[in-house]
């Protein structure tokens, strides 16, 4: 039971339609070829067959150089200890380029400098004990002379207070010629691959002579600071005044496959702090530090405000190696691209751009419409039209005038019809006297159209009345008014002869002997004593003739009014009542006949 409930015992597969067309076939293979080419190019271009791992790295730096300075305040020479300053963190180094030095500061009282303090006239303007984050010290409450013209509040602070602008040109502009050696060890853990930007076989003498920008050798990790700043599109002498931040990017793009092995660092340089906004507020990079000493028992300090350039070393990188699993995953991800071919070809056929005939044929074969039971579709066959029409039951329009939803080609079932005919004709000739000497020829029964048109036949009294008042929708002149819109259907689309006037209608549909034989063909021991049996047999015969197996599933074939009345005239109901069209019964041609 769970097998049935969960559909475990079922497998659903798709039904495909094979269109035999050279054009469509070659178009399909062309498109598939283009897609395959695209996939291959993308695979080689992006190395999609590789497995990747990202770099793990460590960086150490060493700056070298000596600068000769002309300023007497600073001294004559600065070496690496003087200009490097405190470490600025992981993977970066600092080089001082400019300085404001305030020597021999002692704790005491002095006038606050501008613009940190405020101007005053008398002691009343100054508040004793006041200080804020801009002040260099705590106010004493006195107003003292700053220079000849101005007076400011006195503070308790390290005096004299630092009061200078950054020197221009920068004091340590010679730092341009310093060099830095960057040592970078990298590792790709997934491949257990270790490398360094200095080759193990390089000697100390190789490194001493090399400068990266001079030789562009990726294995020469010694850089001149001026070259680094120049490559970051900055001027060292300008940048040295206020300081800044420069990024050194090392990019490792490694191919670890045996035949294409390559793993070289690529260096690039750029300024990281924004130059433009730096011009206005808090430009550059600076910090303060002091050196303390005691002179005659009094503590003194020398205050340094250092400007400089910080170099941040950033390491990026990934390594790729061929991986069969990656290749399969990539191929799998590209399979959906082939759907483009199907979508394109379906669109081409569906829009009719390719050919109208193909569209009709293809749509008919490809799409099988299954209708909701609530909706009723009817199938109509006009004698002056090749196709069968499927129409939706309308509440406003007559069946005769309803527009078709689709057209279906009438299938030629001559073979089956021929067999039927030969059986029937033989049966007919057996039960009725042969008039023209043929034993098994096509024979017209007693209701010949010529006789019928004379309207003297007692079988057809109804036809006579209908003829004079054939309704407006009738095109053949033999239909009768009907109440429901679904019964208002003629055998023709345009004016002309009625199908009931065809000799075959008489012989095939209404001939008593043919109908009896047909009924016996289905049920050999049937007892045929009711007219209703023959009437229903005639309806079935008409549908077999005019619709055959061409009726689309779920559509109900409808017999035109003229034919119905012609059959009814031949095989009337004893009480004169007929049930009419009952479309909401289960839709099979068998139930349709019960009217
Ligand atoms: Zn008609
Ligand atoms: Zn007709």
């Amino acid at each position: 039971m769970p097998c049935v409930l969960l559909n475990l015992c079922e497998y659903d597969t798709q039904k495909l339609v094979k269109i035999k067309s050279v054009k469509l076939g070659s178009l399909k293979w062309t498109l598939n070829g283009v897609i395959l080419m695209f996939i291959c190019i993308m695979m080689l271009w992006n190395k999609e067959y590789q497995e990747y791992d990202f770099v793990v790295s460590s960086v150490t730096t060493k700056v070298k150089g000596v600068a000769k300075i002309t300023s007497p305040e600073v001294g004559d020479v600065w070496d690496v200890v003087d200009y490097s300053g405190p470490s600025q963190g992981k993977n970066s180094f600092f080089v001082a380029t400019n300085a404001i030095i305030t020597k021999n500061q002692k704790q005491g009282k002095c006038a606050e400098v501008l613009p940190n303090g405020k101007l005053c006239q008398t002691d009343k303007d100054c508040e004793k004990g006041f200080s804020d984050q801009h002040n260099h010290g705590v106010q004493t409450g006195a107003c003292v002379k700053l220079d000849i013209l101005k007076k400011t509040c006195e503070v308790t602070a390290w005096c004299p207070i630092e009061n200078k602008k950054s020197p221009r040109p920068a004091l340590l502009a010679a730092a341009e010629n310093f060099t830095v050696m960057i040592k970078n060890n990298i590792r790709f853990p997934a491949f257990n691959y270790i490398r360094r930007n200095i080759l193990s076989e390089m000697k100390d003498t190789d490194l001493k002579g090399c400068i990266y920008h001079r030789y562009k050798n990726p294995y020469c990790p010694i850089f001149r600071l001026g070259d680094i700043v120049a490559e970051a599109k900055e001027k060292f002498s300008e940048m040295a005044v206020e300081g800044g931040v420069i990024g050194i990017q090392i990019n490792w793009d490694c191919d670890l496959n045996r035949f294409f092995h390559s793993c070289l660092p690529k260096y690039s340089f750029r300024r990281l702090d924004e130059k433009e906004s730096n011009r206005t507020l808090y430009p550059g990079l600076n910090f303060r530090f002091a050196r303390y000493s005691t002179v005659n028992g009094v503590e003194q300090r020398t205050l340094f405000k250092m400007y400089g350039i910080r170099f941040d070393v950033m390491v990026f990188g990934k390594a790729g190696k061929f991986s069969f699993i990656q290749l399969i995953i990539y191929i799998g991800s590209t399979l959906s691209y082939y759907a483009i071919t199907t979508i394109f070809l379906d669109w081409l056929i569906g829009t009719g751009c390719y050919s109208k005939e193909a569209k009709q044929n293809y749509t008919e074969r490809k799409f099988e419409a299954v209708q909701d039971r609530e909706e009723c579709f009817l199938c109509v066959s006009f004698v002056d039209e090749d196709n069968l029409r499927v129409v939706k039951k309308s509440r406003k329009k007559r069946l005769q005038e309803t527009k078709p939803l689709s057209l279906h080609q009438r299938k030629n079932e001559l073979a089956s019809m021929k067999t039927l005919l030969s059986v029937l004709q033989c049966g007919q000739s057996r039960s009725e006297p042969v008039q023209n000497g043929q034993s098994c020829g096509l024979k017209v029964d007693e209701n010949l159209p010529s006789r019928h048109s004379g309207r003297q036949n007692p079988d057809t009294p109804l036809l006579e009345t209908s003829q004079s008042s054939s309704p407006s929708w009738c095109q053949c002149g033999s239909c009768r008014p009907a109440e429901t819109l679904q019964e208002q259907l003629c055998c023709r689309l345009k004016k002309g002869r009625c199908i009931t006037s065809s000799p075959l209608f008489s012989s095939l549909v209404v001939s008593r002997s043919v109908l009896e034989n047909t009924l016996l063909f289905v049920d050999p021991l049937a007892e045929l004593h009711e007219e209703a049996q023959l009437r229903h047999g005639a309806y079935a015969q008409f549908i077999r003739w005019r619709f055959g197996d061409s009726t689309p599933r779920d559509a109900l074939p409808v017999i035109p009014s003229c034919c119905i009345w012609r059959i009814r005239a031949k095989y009337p109901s004893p009480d004169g009542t007929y049930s009419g069209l009952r479309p909401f019964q289960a839709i099979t041609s068998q139930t349709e006949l019960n009217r």
Side-chain angles (χ1 to χ4, degrees):
M1 253 345 238
C3 177
V4 176
L5 285 176
L6 297 170
N7 286 352
L8 289 177
C9 304
E10 288 175 14
Y11 171 68
D12 301 324
T13 185
Q14 283 172 352
K15 193 173 159 184
L16 292 176
V17 177
K18 193 171 266 181
I19 302 178
K20 300 206 169 169
S21 153
V22 177
K23 265 196 217 166
L24 288 175
S26 41
L27 188 58
K28 177 188 89 176
W29 285 113
T30 312
L31 282 174
N32 282 349
V34 169
I35 290 168
L36 182 71
M37 213 162 72
F38 173 76
I39 289 170
C40 289
I41 290 171
M42 291 305 286
M43 185 180 79
L44 295 174
W45 191 267
N46 292 332
K47 297 183 178 170
E48 297 282 359
Y49 50 83
Q50 296 200 130
E51 182 188 352
Y52 287 101
D53 189 29
F54 291 95
V55 73
V56 176
S57 96
S58 77
V59 171
T60 52
T61 57
K62 194 186 256 181
V63 185
K64 280 186 177 173
V66 177
K68 187 164 166 43
I69 300 160
T70 46
S71 166
E73 288 177 320
V74 189
D76 283 344
V77 164
W78 271 48
D79 71 6
V80 65
V81 182
D82 298 318
Y83 54 66
S84 283
S87 168
Q88 296 270 319
K90 201 181 153 198
N91 293 356
S92 62
F93 60 95
F94 177 82
V95 174
T97 53
N98 206 358
I100 298 170
I101 298 164
T102 314
K103 286 194 164 178
N104 303 330
Q105 282 190 325
K106 287 175 210 152
Q107 296 233 343
K109 292 173 183 174
C110 48
E112 177 65 289
V113 294
L114 291 170
N116 301 66
K118 64 171 189 179
L119 290 168
C120 60
Q121 299 296 325
T122 62
D123 290 354
K124 279 179 193 170
D125 295 333
C126 297
E127 188 189 332
K128 195 182 173 184
F130 174 83
S131 77
D132 65 16
Q133 67 266 40
H134 301 297
N135 292 138
H136 286 98
V138 182
Q139 291 187 7
T140 56
C143 186
V144 292
K145 271 191 174 178
L146 178 69
D147 54 30
I148 309 160
L149 295 173
K150 294 174 195 146
K151 281 171 108 185
T152 55
C153 295
E154 190 188 48
V155 288
T156 310
W158 284 92
C159 294
I161 294 170
E162 178 192 280
N163 187 20
K164 273 177 203 163
K165 284 191 173 163
S166 50
R168 191 179 280 266
L171 285 181
L172 301 161
E176 191 173 10
N177 292 318
F178 293 176
T179 59
V180 59
M181 179 160 78
I182 301 171
K183 287 185 280 180
N184 181 206
N185 291 286
I186 57 145
R187 186 187 181 91
F188 294 107
F191 308 122
N192 203 17
Y193 183 86
I194 301 168
R195 204 167 180 89
R196 197 175 173 212
N197 64 343
I198 302 170
L199 293 178
S200 52
E201 61 262 29
M202 286 174 90
K203 289 176 203 145
D204 198 27
T205 45
D206 292 335
L207 284 175
K208 265 186 184 152
C210 89
I211 294 283
Y212 175 80
H213 285 90
R214 204 171 293 159
Y215 304 110
K216 287 282 176 190
N217 175 2
Y219 284 114
C220 174
I222 298 175
F223 304 88
R224 192 177 152 265
L225 299 188
D227 294 336
I228 292 177
V229 174
E231 199 159 311
K233 297 184 177 71
E234 294 291 333
K235 226 177 155 184
F236 193 92
S237 55
E238 278 295 309
M239 207 174 164
V241 176
E242 300 279 11
V245 184
I246 293 275
I248 300 173
Q249 292 177 346
I250 307 178
N251 196 7
W252 294 84
D253 190 5
C254 295
D255 189 336
L256 301 186
N257 293 303
R258 195 170 294 169
F259 296 111
F260 310 98
H261 188 280
S262 76
C263 200
L264 290 178
K266 243 186 226 162
Y267 299 94
S268 57
F269 311 91
R270 67 178 57 182
R271 186 166 183 171
L272 295 181
D273 59 333
E274 216 186 313
K275 193 167 108 189
E276 291 308 313
S277 64
N278 270 347
R279 290 215 171 115
T280 49
L281 281 169
Y282 308 114
L285 175 67
N286 64 67
F287 61 91
R288 284 187 179 85
F289 71 95
R291 286 181 194 149
Y292 295 87
S293 59
T294 310
V295 177
N296 299 330
V298 181
E299 197 184 26
Q300 284 191 3
R301 73 174 191 187
T302 303
L303 179 68
F304 293 85
K305 183 177 184 184
M306 302 301 296
Y307 295 87
I309 302 173
R310 197 181 76 207
F311 295 87
D312 290 351
V313 184
M314 291 165 282
V315 183
F316 305 92
K318 64 174 184 174
K321 203 172 186 179
F322 176 80
S323 156
F324 193 63
I325 293 171
Q326 282 301 318
L327 183 67
I328 288 182
I329 291 172
Y330 174 71
I331 290 172
S333 70
T334 57
L335 289 181
S336 56
Y337 294 150
Y338 290 101
I340 296 169
T341 307
T342 316
I343 293 168
F344 178 72
L345 288 183
D346 281 2
W347 172 82
L348 200 67
I349 301 166
T351 49
C353 293
Y354 176 65
S355 106
K356 280 214 168 129
E357 215 170 283
K359 182 196 172 185
Q360 168 78 25
N361 207 351
Y362 178 75
T363 314
E364 209 170 275
R365 301 289 178 89
K366 184 172 163 75
F367 300 101
E368 191 172 323
V370 179
Q371 305 300 347
D372 196 333
R373 275 295 163 95
E374 291 298 304
E375 285 193 282
C376 182
F377 290 84
L378 304 173
C379 188
V380 173
S381 161
F382 289 112
V383 72
D384 49 349
E385 193 180 58
D386 274 343
N387 295 322
L388 296 181
R389 293 176 166 213
V390 171
V391 299
K392 201 174 161 186
K393 189 187 163 190
S394 164
R395 294 212 174 93
K396 289 173 193 158
K397 277 192 170 170
R398 296 185 179 110
L399 189 52
Q400 177 77 17
E401 288 140 18
T402 314
K403 280 198 178 134
L405 286 177
S406 61
L407 295 176
H408 293 262
Q409 219 144 28
R410 186 179 279 118
K411 289 172 196 155
N412 268 333
E413 284 145 352
L414 267 180
S416 61
M417 216 54 184
K418 240 183 196 167
T419 325
L420 180 71
L421 271 177
S422 57
V423 170
L424 297 179
Q425 281 156 15
C426 290
Q428 194 178 351
S429 56
R430 205 171 357 94
S431 60
E432 284 170 27
V434 180
Q435 287 177 356
N436 52 6
Q438 281 180 307
S439 62
C440 251
L442 181 66
K443 199 186 156 297
V444 177
D445 80 343
E446 70 274 19
N447 279 327
L448 275 172
S450 54
R451 270 214 270 162
H452 167 218
S453 62
R455 292 176 201 92
Q456 296 305 315
N457 197 321
D459 276 354
T460 57
L462 295 165
L463 277 180
E464 205 163 359
T465 49
S466 71
Q467 192 72 2
S468 53
S469 60
S470 85
S472 58
W473 46 265
C474 175
Q475 306 292 329
C476 68
S478 308
C479 297
R480 299 192 52 194
E483 273 177 35
T484 65
L485 294 169
Q486 275 62 54
E487 284 174 277
Q488 300 183 2
L489 177 73
C490 183
C491 66
R492 299 190 60 93
L493 205 56
K494 290 173 191 146
K495 286 236 180 288
R497 263 178 71 197
C498 181
I499 191 172
T500 55
S501 70
S502 158
L504 196 60
F505 189 90
S506 308
S507 60
L508 192 68
V509 181
V510 290
S511 158
R512 184 175 292 271
S513 58
V514 169
L515 285 178
E516 279 173 357
N517 281 330
T518 318
L519 290 170
L520 286 171
F521 185 81
V522 178
D523 181 4
L525 301 176
E527 289 177 26
L528 306 170
H529 42 73
E530 274 184 56
E531 292 288 88
Q533 283 173 299
L534 290 169
R535 185 166 72 244
H536 296 159
Y539 293 147
Q541 190 79 329
F542 179 83
I543 286 167
R544 234 172 271 140
W545 176 33
R546 294 303 298 160
F547 297 88
D549 285 337
S550 318
T551 321
R553 256 208 297 180
D554 298 346
L556 194 63
V558 184
I559 307 174
S561 170
C562 50
C563 304
I564 287 177
W565 285 107
R566 177 78 181 83
I567 293 166
R568 284 176 181 175
K570 182 79 191 285
Y571 306 106
S573 148
D575 53 359
T577 56
Y578 304 94
S579 51
L581 184 67
R582 280 175 291 174
F584 285 101
Q585 287 178 344
I587 300 170
T588 68
S589 55
Q590 283 310 305
T591 46
E592 159 64 4
L593 305 173
N594 298 329
R595 48 179 187 177

Coordinates of all heavy atoms in Angstrom, one line a residue, residues 474-479 490-492 497-500 560-563, ligand 2:
C474 N -28.4 28.3 -40.7 CA -28.3 27.1 -41.6 C -27.8 27.5 -43.0 O -28.2 28.5 -43.6 CB -29.6 26.4 -41.8 SG -29.6 25.1 -43.0
Q475 N -26.8 26.8 -43.5 CA -26.2 27.1 -44.8 C -26.6 26.1 -45.9 O -26.4 26.3 -47.0 CB -24.6 27.1 -44.7 CG -24.1 28.0 -43.6 CD -24.3 29.4 -43.9 OE1 -24.3 29.9 -45.0 NE2 -24.5 30.2 -42.8
C476 N -27.2 25.0 -45.4 CA -27.5 24.0 -46.4 C -29.0 23.9 -46.7 O -29.4 23.2 -47.6 CB -27.0 22.6 -45.9 SG -28.0 22.0 -44.4
G477 N -29.8 24.6 -45.9 CA -31.3 24.6 -46.1 C -32.0 23.4 -45.6 O -33.2 23.3 -45.8
S478 N -31.3 22.5 -44.9 CA -32.0 21.3 -44.4 C -32.1 21.3 -42.8 O -32.6 20.3 -42.3 CB -31.4 20.1 -44.8 OG -31.2 20.1 -46.2
C479 N -31.5 22.3 -42.2 CA -31.5 22.3 -40.7 C -32.8 22.7 -40.1 O -33.6 23.4 -40.9 CB -30.4 23.1 -40.2 SG -28.7 22.5 -40.7
C490 N -24.9 23.6 -38.5 CA -25.2 23.1 -39.8 C -24.0 22.2 -40.3 O -23.0 22.2 -39.8 CB -25.4 24.3 -40.7 SG -25.8 23.8 -42.4
C491 N -24.3 21.5 -41.4 CA -23.2 20.6 -41.9 C -22.2 21.4 -42.8 O -21.2 20.9 -43.2 CB -23.8 19.5 -42.8 SG -24.6 20.1 -44.3
R492 N -22.5 22.7 -43.0 CA -21.7 23.5 -43.9 C -21.3 24.8 -43.2 O -22.0 25.3 -42.4 CB -22.4 23.9 -45.2 CG -22.9 22.7 -46.0 CD -23.4 23.2 -47.4 NE -22.4 23.9 -48.1 CZ -21.6 23.4 -48.9 NH1 -21.7 22.1 -49.2 NH2 -20.6 24.1 -49.6
R497 N -24.7 22.7 -51.0 CA -25.4 21.4 -50.9 C -25.3 20.8 -49.5 O -24.2 20.9 -48.9 CB -24.9 20.4 -51.9 CG -25.7 20.4 -53.2 CD -25.1 19.4 -54.1 NE -25.2 18.0 -53.7 CZ -24.5 17.0 -54.1 NH1 -23.5 17.2 -55.0 NH2 -24.7 15.8 -53.7
C498 N -26.3 20.2 -49.1 CA -26.3 19.5 -47.8 C -25.6 18.2 -47.9 O -25.7 17.5 -48.9 CB -27.7 19.3 -47.3 SG -27.8 18.6 -45.6
I499 N -24.9 17.8 -46.8 CA -24.2 16.5 -46.8 C -25.2 15.3 -46.9 O -24.9 14.3 -47.4 CB -23.3 16.4 -45.5 CG1 -22.4 15.1 -45.6 CG2 -24.2 16.3 -44.2 CD1 -21.4 15.0 -44.6
T500 N -26.5 15.6 -46.4 CA -27.4 14.5 -46.5 C -27.8 14.2 -47.9 O -28.4 13.1 -48.2 CB -28.7 14.9 -45.7 OG1 -29.2 16.1 -46.2 CG2 -28.4 15.0 -44.2
P560 N -24.4 17.7 -37.1 CA -25.1 18.8 -37.5 C -26.7 18.5 -37.5 O -27.1 17.4 -37.6 CB -24.7 19.0 -39.0 CG -23.4 18.3 -39.1 CD -23.5 17.2 -38.1
S561 N -27.4 19.6 -37.3 CA -28.8 19.5 -37.2 C -29.5 18.8 -38.4 O -30.4 17.9 -38.2 CB -29.4 20.9 -37.1 OG -30.8 20.9 -37.1
C562 N -29.0 19.1 -39.6 CA -29.7 18.5 -40.8 C -29.5 17.0 -40.8 O -30.5 16.3 -41.1 CB -29.1 19.1 -42.0 SG -27.3 19.1 -42.1
C563 N -28.3 16.5 -40.3 CA -28.1 15.1 -40.3 C -29.0 14.4 -39.2 O -29.5 13.3 -39.4 CB -26.6 14.8 -40.1 SG -25.6 15.6 -41.3
Ligands
LIG2 ZN1 -27.0 20.0 -44.1

